[in-house]
Amino acid sequence: MDRIKITGGNKLNGIIPISGAKNAALPLMIASLLTNETLTLENMPHLADVELLTRILGNHGADYSVNGRREHQNGSYERTVHFTTKNIVDTTAPYELVAKMRASFWVIAPLLARAGEAIVSLPGGCSIGTRPVDLMLDSLTALGANIEIENGYARATTKGGLTGAEFTFPKVSVGATHVALMAASLAKGDTIIHNAACEPEVVNLADCLNAMGAKIEGAGTPTIRIQGVTSLNGARVRVIPDRIETGTYAMAVAMTGGDVVLQNTRSDLLTSALDVLRQTGAEITDVENGIRVVRNGHGIAPVDITTDPFPGFPTDLQAQFMGLMTKAKGTSHITETIFENRFMHVQELARLGAKISLSGQTATVEGVERLKGAPVMATDLRASATLVIAGLVAEGETTVNRVYHLDRGFERLEEKLSNCGAEISRISG
Ligand code: UD1
């Protein structure tokens, strides 16, 4: 298994191109199952999760082709991928595939809406909490689906198609909002979703569905209205920039010091996280087609955060922010409200010399003068990025094991960081 070796101490200076968002690419790819025409997705990230979902979609009948991997002057790569599902050839998403990536459960919506049946494995336990699927299934039930749970599979069926409905999610869920949007787009009549997720990835999906002929209004607000249509067509849609990748590199610069332009991204995708970073002492400004992050000299100021649904501080940046706070000049409190058990990185950060104590859903981080390199283990996608951030300032060598977690969500991470002066490399095998 690959490892990443980092020798800490270098500042970051230069340009980091930001990739298309994994969390937007996945639902857009799944939406391609809703039409027999071609959905073309620009700015697709090249990631293990995208490859896996491509295989899953292939199982249901999707063909795909990739347009080059053109390198631009600024070092970014553009990948455009075309997905075409002439016919749904299989309505079952098996355990072996769904268990590897939770988001693949969302295929339940297009399979049901287009083929009248979906048999999808329940995703099972996950390392960052129980993450049930009840909200997704409830929204499909509200739209008239019949749901049965049998042998670890959810079997959703509809006789004569789905029907529009008005319902309120008891909790904000990105995945459940995606599922409801896709299903309601092909339902008969109108749907109103209350307490919908407002994340930019939901807006990207709604824009994609509208480009395919759906009639959706209000995405990006808690109330979304959908007028069902009988069929959807092909379209060409651009994946939004990855706000989590953007925030991760912004935190890396805030940690190491230096001056980096994050290119092909937008500050409005992560306003709350950038505001917090400013409070820690980083200077952050908008530049053409990107964001400039500068931190010189002064120590890192401690800041308390609580994760919240968008536009709050994203849970997917909580671990990285904790990495930054391990070197703050004082004590900070980090409260996780979205997922239980999303503090596995605490133990690994402690191996580098961080001082963190946990009480319920709050971590208290006492900043230390220095971190010291050590072998550490990536436990999930975002936790892995934290260990890299900490490794960039730890004295001596840090080796991050189980790098496959990073490969799920960060495209060419070592290349992007080493181009800015970090001493980081991948050890294969
Ligand atoms: C998505 C993101 C993930 C991010 C999360 C929250 C993708 C591929 N993943 O995950 O990176 O951390 O949003 O921003 O986009 N819940 C239920 N029942 C359900 C569905 C969710 O109780 O049916 C709960 C979850 O356990 C969690 C909360 O709702 O406590 C929010 O989860 P949700 O927004 O659904 O996360 P995902 O869509 O899985």
Side-chain angles (χ1 to χ4, degrees), residues 23 131-136 171 173-175 315-316 338-339:
N23 286 355
R131 301 180 85 174
V133 294
D134 54 334
L135 301 176
M136 304 187 213
K171 183 174 187 177
S173 158
V174 175
T315 174
D316 285 351
I338 310 292
F339 293 111

Side-chain angles (χ1 to χ4, degrees), residues 108-142:
I108 195 167
L111 293 177
L112 176 67
R114 194 165 149 204
E117 177 191 69
I119 303 162
V120 182
S121 169
L122 298 170
C126 170
S127 56
I128 59 169
T130 49
R131 301 180 85 174
V133 294
D134 54 334
L135 301 176
M136 304 187 213
L137 297 181
D138 289 351
S139 70
L140 296 176
T141 305

